[in-house]
Every structure is written in structure tokens, then in C-alpha cells.
Amino acid sequence: MKKPISLILFLFFLSLLSACQTQKDATPTETPLPVKNIAQTISSLNADEPEGIAEIPDEQLSDYIEAVYGLTSDMWEDGSILQAGGMRAYEISVLRFTDENHAKSGEAALEEYRNAREGAFGGYAPEQAALVSGSTICRVGQYVGLFICENPESAEEVFISLLETGKVPSSINKPEPTQYPQPDPETITGMDAIKDALLDFCNTDLAALGNYNVTSFTSDKAFPEMVEDTYGIIPAHLVDGFVVNDLNDDPFELIVLRMIDKDTADYNLNALRTYKKEEKERYIERDSEGIGYITAGNEESYDLLSNAHLIQSNEFLALLICQDSEGADACFKTALDSIRSEETGIPTPTPVEITDGVFFVEVSWNEVDGEPDPNHPDRTLYVQPNKEDMSIYDTTAIIDAWSMMDDSQLSPYEKSIYDSAKSVLELIIFDGMSEFEKEVAIYEWILQNVTYDWSYTNPLQETTRDSYTPYGGLINHSAVCLGYATTFQLLTELAGIESLTVVGTGRGKDHGWNMIQLNGEWFCVDITWDVPYYNPEKRNLELRFFNTTSDYMAKTGHQWDYNSIPEATAENHGFITQS
């Protein structure tokens, strides 16, 4: 729901537009357009505007623009920047420059900033990095806009229309498309595979229901009208789909729809969201004053709907209402990956079991731009940005105290790290464990207990140095890459396993990770980049950067001093089958 202030600003802005610009070729003597209101209007009209948007305060704006965008105050005369902050990349920035030459320079500076912003998320939050990658930068005369959001093209359209015509374009309201050709149903493939996978997964639910119905696009000519009447889906946007529901009107439903493209899926997503909300309302009782409450008899059904998973994946929509919606979500996505692999010819990575409960999932990213290394032609030349203090916290005193079982000479700061590390190892390490088992226990503990310090991606926040040390990982439970790496190194070394911290670059940005030696072989470990993939609800560990080769690290965007770091070549991920 949009904030009331956005509407107020929008109406105020429109009243100003008639006074300050009525022609496309505005002259410099006219009253400049209110930049703050342009940004607010664009953000408020963005259908995917997240909650918690904050504007850079006026008193910080000049310092921010110079420090982050690299633009001095003599180049621009007005600006407004709206950001989501934290782990979200959302940003709407509108700047009015003193002249068009400075605007062109500003456009180039924002392009550099966007590249750096993408790198700031890099492996830490791939979805947010993709959001930045798909953003747009637009210049109209003295105005430049940066639109990092789900619909940057719509934001750019509003920006241009406001500046050139003084009006909001009607197209941003997403009017219903009417001229979509219906594809031949025989050419649509894959839905049966998703349906069969979900029916098999939900067999316990179905057995309990006893009486359920399955209807689909290919089996029922009235299917498009049914999804319109029941869920509010526009029939002309639908190319395939199925619905499984209980005939006794119990809250069980599997809805999977394939739309024409991502835009039509975007357009219809809110219909399923509204349907879910209305279904929950069925189980809410209300007193005479209209205050809602859940009775004991309705609690289970209400919780089932509350936990239902609403999914959009490109042109696919799904609403999964069942006992294990988390598992159904994973089942759906696995089946969908298989379909995409068949349709595109690009294989979907399959988890490979290393040992019981530990799987490796290979990732494939576009190569980082850069010159080839003359001594390693298959790798990109390593150039350290040195924009961050990547000095590694010295744990020598802590390790010595551990080996001598005497912590009396440690400083209070070192002693707190020592005590925390001791508590962790006593909790997770047991007699008889192999080095590999110890490493897995440490890796999983860090994934479970340490969160990424997202102040690092906020230029207005200063990241405490603790986040670069084991203090951040073990005590604050919040760290950046170097904090993760030094926490991992300290715990593994105290557990008797040789390891080291590597300082290099990740996707062209200062980054730190580890190497560990098992059974006489070196392996690469990047626990920070495994954080976004970790799912505590899953029984198994599915890891992307665990005990890999150096070549794999290079292919996934890591660069380092190739001559000073051991080369990891073993492909068994450190696990040796016991004879």
C-alpha cells in the first residue's frame, strides 16, 4: 500500500508542473522542476516499491553525492536519493546539474557508481546484484536519473514524461493488454512434469483429503475462464497451468500458472496475492466492533494459509497451500529448473553428495572483465582495488594461548574471542571426528550463527572494524567477508586443521576467503558467498563454495595473487572414503 505522503507530494508536484513547464523545449529562465518530488513520484508509482524507503537527508546530501557518486557540489544544484538500505539495492536517484556538460559527466559518474554498487552485493546477495545490473540511467537535459528497482523501464518512462510533458504516462498504470496471440497448447511443455512432482510430494495431504480435483489448461477448455473467475487472472495472459484443490473446500490448493512473459506474470501476481488474503479472511471471526480474532477451530486452517508460498519465477506463478509449503516450494523450483534445462538446452546444476547430508552445487557466473594474467592466461589479471582495509586480524596470541592452555597473557579483547571460540568448539567438536567432519561442523555453525553486516553496503553507515575480525563472527555474530574468513580460520586452526585467509577480489571488489588443508591437499572455501544459499529449514547442507579448486574460484569471479597462494587441484572436496 502506498504511503499517503507520496500522493500528497504527487498532487503538489502536478500543481507545480503547470506553472514551471508546459512545453517540451523549456528555456533556462523557467522555474526548475522540483527534483525531490520527481524522485518521490517515480518511487511511489513503482509497483514493487519496498517498505522502509528512506531519503538521504538534505544536510547529508552534498557529502553523500561527492563521497559516493564522485560529484562535487559545483556540478549539481538539486538532488534527491531514495534508498531501501540494508541488503536491498533499491535506489531512485534524481539529480539536476548546473548545465548539460556537467549532466553528461554526472551520467558517466553514475554509471561507474552502478558498476561498483553491483560489486558491493556480488556473491553476497546475487538477486540484489542482478537488480543493480538491470537498472537504468537516463539523462534529459540537465537532469539525470538512476533507477535501481524491479521495473526500471517504467521508472525511466515516468522520469522522461514528467520532464518533457509535465504528465505521468498512462502506461505505468499497466493497462490490460488485449492483443496477445494464444499459443497452440500442443507447443506448451513441462507443466505435466511440475504437476506430477507436486502431486507426488503432497501425497500425504491428498490421502487425508480423499476427494480432490485436478484441472488444467490442456484438459479443460473452460480453464482460462475458471482462473479468471476464481483468482482474477486475465485469460489472455495465460498459456498453460493447472489447479489441484479439495472438493470439500478445505484449505488445500496447488495453483501453477504459466503466463506469456515476465511482464504478464508481474501484472497477475497481485491477483493471487489478493486471493490468498481473501482466503485467510474466511477463517477470521470478528466481534461487534469489527476486531478480528482466530478461533481454536480455525487456527490450523488460518496458519496453513498464512504459511502458503506465493512464487513468481519469470513467467511462472504458483500459490502452494499445503502442510509442507516450504518443501512444496523446493519441489516446484526443482521441477521448474528441469523444464528450463530442457527448453534452453542449458543443464541445471545437480547437487552432488559429498557425504551424508553434505552436497555440493556448482554455480556458473559470467567471467569478470579484465586482462588475462601473462603467467596464467586462463585467469584474469589480479588487481587489488585497495578500497577497503583488508589487513588480517592477527590471532597468533590466541592460538598460542590455546596450545599452551594458558590465556592469562591475552588482552581483554583477545580473551573474549578465545572464550567464545572455546565455547563453540566444545559445542560442535567431538572425539573421533575426522578433520573433514570438524570442518563441516565449523562451516555449518558459522552459517547458522553469523549474519552478514549489511551496513557495509550502506555508504551512510560506518562498518565497525569488529566485523572484519573473529570478534564480529564469534561475539557480535555479524561480519563482512574478512570477519567470516578469520572466524573460520581461527576455529579450524584451534581444531587442529591448517588453514589460511586469502585476500583478493570477488567480482572486482576487495574480498577475503579461505584455504584449508585436508589429507595433504589444499581446498578453497568461501563461506561468505555460501550465506545467501543457506537454508536452515533444509536437513541437508547444499554448498556452492565449499572445498573447491582454484580453477573453480577463478571461474566464479575470484582473483588473487596466483603465485603466492597454494593451488587447489583436488576435486573430492576433502572427503576421503574410509576403507
Side-chain angles (χ1 to χ4, degrees):
M1 181 177 293
K2 301 305 173 194
K3 307 170 189 64
I5 186 63
S6 298
L7 180 58
I8 295 170
L9 288 169
F10 175 55
L11 294 174
F12 170 69
F13 174 48
L14 290 183
S15 70
L16 290 177
L17 283 174
S18 61
C20 66
Q21 177 163 344
T22 57
Q23 299 181 33
K24 185 174 179 178
D25 54 347
T27 63
T29 59
E30 291 177 327
T31 305
L33 295 177
V35 169
K36 187 183 296 289
N37 297 81
I38 295 176
Q40 287 278 6
T41 300
I42 292 170
S43 187
S44 67
L45 292 175
N46 191 306
D48 298 290
E49 180 190 56
E51 294 295 325
I53 300 299
E55 184 175 20
I56 304 297
D58 290 342
E59 62 271 17
Q60 298 179 7
L61 189 62
S62 181
D63 290 340
Y64 180 93
I65 291 175
E66 182 167 3
V68 178
Y69 295 162
L71 301 170
T72 55
S73 58
D74 62 313
M75 298 176 66
W76 58 278
E77 56 189 19
D78 197 6
S80 179
I81 302 170
L82 304 172
Q83 292 181 328
M87 66 174 292
R88 298 172 299 173
Y90 182 95
E91 182 173 347
I92 302 295
S93 178
V94 178
L95 301 175
R96 185 175 67 243
F97 290 83
T98 55
D99 55 47
E100 289 199 29
N101 287 331
H102 280 145
K104 291 177 182 178
S105 299
E107 185 179 15
L110 285 177
E111 181 66 43
E112 290 185 14
Y113 164 75
R114 180 173 63 176
N115 294 337
R117 187 69 171 159
E118 181 181 355
F121 290 99
Y124 310 96
E127 291 183 357
Q128 297 302 308
L131 195 72
V132 180
S133 177
S135 64
T136 63
I137 297 171
C138 181
R139 178 173 60 84
V140 178
Q142 294 173 233
Y143 294 80
V144 178
L146 166 66
F147 312 114
I148 303 175
C149 55
E150 291 287 350
N151 296 291
E153 293 81 10
S154 296
E156 183 175 320
E157 186 178 358
V158 175
F159 176 71
I160 294 172
S161 183
L162 289 175
L163 289 172
E164 292 188 345
T165 71
K167 298 178 181 179
V168 175
S170 59
S171 61
I172 60 97
N173 294 318
K174 293 189 176 180
E176 176 186 336
T178 56
Q179 300 298 321
Y180 282 113
Q182 282 285 14
D184 181 353
E186 293 182 0
T187 66
I188 305 302
T189 61
M191 296 301 285
D192 284 344
I194 296 178
K195 180 178 64 179
D196 292 344
L198 285 173
L199 288 174
D200 183 60
F201 180 84
C202 296
N203 59 61
T204 302
D205 297 67
L206 297 172
L209 295 172
N211 195 11
Y212 62 91
N213 182 60
V214 181
T215 182
S216 68
F217 185 91
T218 54
S219 67
D220 188 344
K221 292 182 179 179
F223 185 81
E225 288 70 29
M226 184 274 290
V227 296
E228 179 182 29
D229 294 341
T230 308
Y231 310 114
I233 300 296
I234 295 173
H237 296 179
L238 184 69
V239 298
D240 205 354
F242 65 86
V243 173
V244 183
N245 54 9
D246 173 53
L247 293 178
N248 296 321
D249 207 28
D250 287 335
F252 171 88
E253 210 158 3
L254 306 175
I255 307 163
V256 178
L257 306 173
R258 188 171 191 174
M259 316 308 288
I260 289 172
D261 52 24
K262 182 179 183 298
D263 287 341
T264 53
D266 285 340
Y267 187 84
N268 288 277
L269 178 63
N270 195 55
L272 284 184
R273 184 180 290 116
T274 300
Y275 174 76
K276 176 183 174 182
K277 181 180 179 181
E278 291 173 348
E279 285 295 288
K280 288 173 62 178
E281 188 72 24
R282 291 171 51 199
Y283 298 94
I284 300 176
E285 305 288 344
R286 297 194 179 276
D287 60 21
S288 58
E289 297 181 354
I291 298 175
Y293 61 94
I294 310 297
T295 64
N298 286 343
E299 185 175 357
E300 182 178 352
S301 296
Y302 183 83
D303 288 344
L304 200 67
L305 282 157
S306 297
N307 295 326
H309 277 223
L310 178 60
I311 308 161
Q312 181 193 353
S313 179
N314 201 20
E315 79 275 25
F316 280 84
L317 293 175
L319 177 59
L320 308 176
I321 306 170
C322 55
Q323 291 292 336
D324 184 4
S325 56
E326 183 79 32
D329 184 314
C331 175
F332 166 74
K333 289 176 179 175
T334 299
L336 183 57
D337 284 344
S338 178
I339 291 173
R340 295 200 190 286
S341 298
E342 292 178 6
E343 294 182 348
T344 64
I346 302 173
T348 299
T350 301
V352 176
E353 189 169 19
I354 302 173
T355 185
D356 290 345
V358 182
F359 292 78
F360 178 76
V361 184
E362 184 175 349
V363 297
S364 179
W365 289 350
N366 294 331
E367 294 183 7
V368 176
D369 293 334
E371 299 179 19
D373 188 293
N375 299 316
H376 302 271
D378 56 335
R379 295 181 184 172
T380 304
L381 182 66
Y382 165 62
V383 179
Q384 189 70 36
N386 289 320
K387 293 185 177 180
E388 303 292 331
D389 180 0
M390 297 297 287
S391 55
I392 300 173
Y393 178 77
D394 187 359
T395 58
T396 303
I398 297 172
I399 294 172
D400 289 345
W402 182 271
S403 64
M404 294 185 293
M405 294 184 290
D406 179 8
D407 59 12
S408 61
Q409 301 303 309
L410 295 177
S411 69
Y413 189 85
E414 292 169 330
K415 180 68 163 57
S416 62
I417 295 174
Y418 179 96
D419 289 342
S420 294
K422 185 172 184 289
S423 297
V424 169
L425 294 175
E426 288 176 347
L427 178 67
I428 64 176
I429 303 299
F430 305 100
D431 292 340
M433 274 186 165
S434 67
E435 288 188 344
F436 177 85
E437 290 170 331
K438 292 178 182 178
E439 182 199 11
V440 170
I442 291 169
Y443 205 89
E444 185 168 18
W445 183 90
I446 294 175
L447 287 174
Q448 286 178 338
N449 293 278
V450 184
T451 59
Y452 192 80
D453 184 353
W454 288 103
S455 68
Y456 176 77
T457 66
N458 188 340
L460 289 181
Q461 287 184 264
E462 182 177 353
T463 303
T464 173
R465 193 62 197 171
D466 290 341
S467 291
Y468 292 76
T469 77
Y471 192 97
L474 292 168
I475 298 169
N476 293 339
H477 299 288
S478 176
V480 296
C481 61
L482 205 55
Y484 276 100
T486 54
T487 299
F488 178 83
Q489 181 183 0
L490 178 63
L491 289 176
T492 51
E493 291 200 337
L494 295 183
I497 310 171
E498 186 176 358
S499 63
L500 56 88
T501 296
V502 180
V503 171
T505 65
R507 312 301 294 173
K509 189 175 182 64
D510 291 307
H511 186 48
W513 62 95
N514 296 101
M515 296 196 72
I516 188 168
Q517 190 175 53
L518 301 171
N519 309 306
E521 297 276 5
W522 283 101
F523 298 89
C524 302
V525 171
D526 191 344
I527 194 167
T528 317
W529 282 20
D530 257 330
V531 169
Y533 299 104
Y534 175 66
N535 183 351
E537 300 299 323
K538 287 189 175 182
R539 291 183 301 170
N540 297 323
L541 275 178
E542 292 188 359
L543 307 174
R544 272 75 172 170
F545 298 94
F546 175 79
N547 290 2
T548 71
T549 65
S550 297
D551 283 344
Y552 178 86
M553 297 295 277
K555 290 176 182 178
T556 55
H558 297 74
Q559 288 86 41
W560 63 96
D561 184 346
Y562 309 120
N563 296 320
S564 64
I565 301 298
E567 190 77 4
T569 58
E571 297 182 350
N572 61 7
H573 301 284
F575 179 75
I576 301 296
T577 303
Q578 302 299 319
S579 56

